[in-house]
């Protein structure tokens, strides 16, 4: 876990935000604490090399746990019962003394601790959070009650998560590449096996099924030099990759599987998933707009739900069309020495995951903050990537999609059709969540 020296100061602000004092009947927590939880979850994901779809699953259930606590105390926000597929009625714990906002944070942490493989690493952050509240005069019964409340809510969310059938994926037969012309095959340097080939079998949150928004078929594979597919390959091959495009590609790389040659060793580079990047953008937007605790949790939950459902629709298509990556195709049919600027992720090419999930996230964030919400994306400064300024979320999503072309890892139709699917899923998620009574 990184940045604990910085976290100390942030933890103090968690309790100071609303000027907590011993004599207050309620204890309030800064909405910034929500972003801190997702940041700590991201650090654990980097530690575990968590794949992108699975990262979205972790974020969504953790945020749901926190949100349901809010829904039980803030009348402006309603439970997801009757809104999300199969979501149960969450029973309010029989706890008398607690801070519901601290309980919400505890519910998020307890859920993440149980779901993430190295979730125990989150305990250190949780302990520091409690200690900061204690230092500011919070009574032990409030701290204990808040934790108990959070644990009880988390148990109910974890039961809901277990029923989404993700744990059944391990029973499926091992996925093998088709080895037919034009289909995906593992790429260097790691030659990793395919990631989450059965992710579309998991229960979605808002969709009827993972195939609800099928994209147009990809341009058909062909070895004919006059074919549309060959033109797509040539487009990637001919790209001159200007310096600005290199910067853009590197900024949105978000490939947790990236490797670096060091002598005789291949060393994994620390990189977050694309979903974690958009959760970071969500935190930036909420801080900039100064949204209150309840709305901040709603927005984070909405984006996380959108990530989960958009990854499902994208992965459903990836393993249906199973299209070859530019790296494999160009080396075989145009130039055996060609290499992409970015390392190719270990799964089929069509659709572009960045295009789908970035557009979906941008649609959701635009719903809450407006079309011209300018912000500075500093999410990956801690990974030595300079911050970039964007005039809107949709502008960022467009750049994210194009970064995959600049990086040489996607054909153009995977990007444009991915953006269309992301738009559809984002609008569907917002429409579903807005239908709450």
């Amino acid at each position: 876990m990184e940045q604990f020296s910085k976290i100390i100061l942030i933890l103090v602000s968690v309790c100071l935000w609303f000027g907590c004092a011993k004599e207050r009947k309620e204890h309030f927590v800064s909405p910034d604490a929500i972003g801190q939880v997702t940041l700590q979850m991201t650090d654990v994901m980097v530690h575990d090399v968590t794949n992108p779809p699975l990262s979205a699953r972790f974020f969504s259930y953790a945020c749901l746990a926190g949100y349901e606590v809010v829904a039980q105390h803030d009348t402006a926000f309603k439970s997801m019962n009757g809104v999300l597929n199969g979501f149960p009625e969450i029973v309010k714990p029989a706890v008398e003394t607690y801070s519901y906002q601290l309980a919400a944070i505890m519910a998020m942490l307890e859920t993440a601790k149980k779901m993430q493989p190295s979730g125990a690493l989150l305990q250190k952050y949780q302990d520091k959070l409690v200690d900061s509240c204690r230092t500011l005069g919070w009574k032990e019964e409030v701290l204990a009650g808040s934790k108990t409340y959070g644990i009880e809510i988390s148990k109910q969310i974890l039961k809901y998560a277990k029923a989404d059938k993700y744990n059944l994926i391990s029973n499926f037969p091992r996925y093998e590449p088709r080895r037919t012309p034009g289909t995906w095959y593992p790429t260097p340097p790691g030659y990793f096996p395919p990631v989450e080939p059965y992710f579309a079998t998991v229960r979605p949150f808002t969709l009827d099924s993972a195939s609800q928004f099928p994209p147009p078929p990809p341009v058909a594979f062909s070895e004919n030099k006059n074919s549309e597919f060959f033109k797509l390959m040539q487009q990637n091959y001919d790209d001159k990759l200007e310096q600005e495009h290199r910067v853009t590609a590197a900024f949105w790389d978000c490939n947790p599987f990236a490797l670096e040659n060091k002598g005789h060793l291949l060393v994994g580079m620390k990189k977050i998933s694309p979903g974690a990047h958009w959760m970071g953008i969500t935190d930036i937007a909420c801080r900039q707009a100064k949204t209150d605790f309840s709305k901040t949790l709603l927005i984070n939950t909405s984006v996380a739900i959108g990530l989960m459902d958009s990854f499902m629709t994208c992965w459903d298509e990836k393993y249906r069309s199973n299209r070859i990556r530019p790296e494999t195709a160009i080396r075989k049919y145009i130039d055996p020495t060609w290499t992409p600027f970015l390392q190719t992720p270990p799964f089929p090419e069509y659709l572009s995951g960045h295009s789908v999930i970035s557009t979906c996230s941008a649609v959701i964030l635009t719903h809450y903050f407006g079309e011209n919400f300018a912000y500075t994306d500093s999410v990956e400064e801690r990974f030595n990537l300079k911050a970039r300024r964007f005039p809107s979320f949709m502008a960022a999503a467009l750049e994210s999609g194009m970064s995959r072309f600049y990086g040489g890892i996607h054909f153009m139709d995977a990007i444009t059709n991915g953006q269309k699917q992301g738009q559809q899923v984002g609008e569907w998620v917002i429409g579903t969540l807005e239908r709450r009574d």
Side-chain angles (χ1 to χ4, degrees):
M1 297 287 281
E2 301 177 352
Q3 292 190 314
F4 276 106
S5 59
K6 295 182 180 178
I7 290 170
I8 300 296
L9 294 176
I10 296 171
L11 288 173
V12 173
S13 72
V14 166
C15 297
L16 284 177
W17 184 268
F18 288 104
C20 296
K22 295 180 181 179
E23 65 271 12
R24 293 184 68 100
K25 293 183 179 180
E26 289 190 89
H27 295 73
F28 296 97
V29 176
S30 166
D32 294 353
I34 298 164
Q36 278 300 305
V37 173
T38 57
L39 174 63
Q40 298 307 308
M41 290 180 65
T42 295
D43 282 347
V44 175
M45 291 175 195
V46 171
H47 175 277
D48 291 341
V49 195
T50 305
N51 69 62
L54 187 55
S55 296
R57 183 171 179 265
F58 293 156
F59 282 130
S60 59
Y61 287 113
C63 288
L64 272 171
Y67 176 79
E68 285 299 307
V69 176
V70 166
Q72 292 181 345
H73 295 84
D74 190 330
T75 57
F77 298 86
K78 304 299 182 182
S79 170
M80 293 294 179
N81 174 242
V83 178
L84 303 182
N85 295 328
F87 194 82
E89 182 177 352
I90 302 299
V91 178
K92 188 175 181 179
V95 180
E96 294 185 2
T97 306
Y98 59 91
S99 158
Y100 83 86
Q101 293 180 342
L102 182 58
I105 296 299
M106 290 296 180
M108 293 179 70
L109 286 167
E110 291 295 330
T111 303
K113 282 162 58 179
K114 294 294 191 300
M115 295 191 72
Q116 295 187 249
S118 298
L121 292 173
L122 294 167
Q123 187 63 50
K124 189 173 183 179
Y125 170 79
Q126 185 172 333
D127 291 343
K128 288 181 180 292
L129 172 61
V130 172
D131 285 344
S132 69
C133 293
R134 184 179 289 117
T135 299
L136 289 165
W138 287 44
K139 294 181 179 180
E140 290 300 325
E141 59 182 334
V142 174
L143 298 176
S146 300
K147 182 176 181 180
T148 299
Y149 198 116
I151 289 174
E152 292 303 312
I153 294 294
S154 177
K155 287 179 180 178
Q156 297 178 67
I157 296 298
L158 288 169
K159 184 178 179 180
Y160 174 61
K162 187 175 181 179
D164 73 2
K165 299 182 180 180
Y166 181 81
N167 63 338
L168 300 181
I169 286 178
S170 60
N171 297 325
F172 284 90
R174 180 177 178 143
Y175 186 91
E176 296 290 342
R178 295 178 188 173
R179 296 178 182 272
T180 54
T183 58
W184 175 82
Y185 195 78
T187 51
Y191 295 96
F192 292 114
V195 168
E196 299 290 4
Y198 301 110
F199 197 70
T201 65
V202 178
R203 176 195 61 210
F205 284 114
T206 68
L207 304 171
D208 298 334
S209 71
S211 58
Q212 183 173 340
F213 296 108
V219 170
F221 170 77
S222 175
E223 299 178 20
N224 189 320
K225 291 186 177 181
N226 295 317
S227 67
E228 287 302 311
F229 182 78
F230 222 90
K231 291 177 183 177
L232 282 180
M233 280 198 297
Q234 199 69 49
Q235 191 176 13
N236 283 86
Y237 183 69
D238 291 341
D239 184 53
K240 301 304 180 183
L241 200 60
E242 299 173 2
Q243 179 58 27
E244 177 59 24
H245 293 170
R246 290 174 182 269
V247 172
T248 298
F251 183 80
W252 292 103
D253 185 14
C254 303
N255 179 8
F257 307 101
L259 297 172
E260 182 179 7
N261 282 298
K262 288 193 175 182
H264 298 291
L265 298 175
L266 283 175
V267 180
M269 293 182 284
K270 285 191 173 184
K271 295 190 178 183
I272 65 176
S273 69
H277 194 147
W278 279 97
M279 292 302 292
I281 292 172
T282 302
D283 179 46
I284 290 170
C286 289
R287 288 172 183 260
Q288 183 173 315
K290 298 180 179 179
T291 54
D292 63 24
F293 189 93
S294 297
K295 188 171 183 180
T296 297
L297 245 179
L298 170 63
I299 295 170
N300 275 267
T301 304
S302 301
V303 171
I305 287 171
L307 286 172
M308 180 71 171
D309 282 3
S310 57
F311 267 119
M312 289 190 65
T313 58
C314 181
W315 253 241
D316 178 63
E317 177 56 38
K318 277 185 179 293
Y319 288 95
R320 178 184 299 107
S321 55
N322 211 303
R323 190 165 71 174
I324 193 171
R325 286 279 184 171
E327 180 171 11
T328 308
I330 292 173
R331 284 182 173 183
K332 184 172 184 178
Y333 299 106
I334 298 179
D335 181 355
T337 68
W338 186 83
T339 57
F341 177 67
L342 298 179
Q343 285 184 27
T344 302
F347 33 81
E349 188 270 342
Y350 188 87
L351 297 163
S352 158
H354 268 56
S355 299
V356 178
I357 71 104
S358 294
T359 305
C360 177
S361 299
V363 167
I364 293 170
L365 288 171
T366 299
H367 169 77
Y368 289 112
F369 296 106
E371 294 182 359
N372 299 307
F373 188 93
Y375 68 97
T376 298
D377 183 350
S378 58
V379 172
E380 296 200 62
E381 282 187 326
R382 61 203 186 100
F383 296 111
N384 300 315
L385 289 173
K386 291 183 179 180
R388 292 176 70 83
R389 183 75 176 169
F390 294 99
S392 67
F393 300 114
M394 294 306 295
L398 179 62
E399 182 180 281
S400 173
M402 283 303 299
S403 74
R404 315 315 271 169
F405 174 77
Y406 300 148
I409 61 177
H410 273 294
F411 298 116
M412 190 59 76
D413 64 333
I415 295 168
T416 55
N417 288 331
Q419 290 165 339
K420 293 175 183 176
Q421 188 185 74
Q423 180 82 30
Q424 291 174 312
V425 177
E427 291 175 351
W428 178 266
V429 169
I430 285 299
T432 301
L433 298 183
E434 289 295 298
R435 286 198 292 271
R436 288 172 299 165
D437 294 333

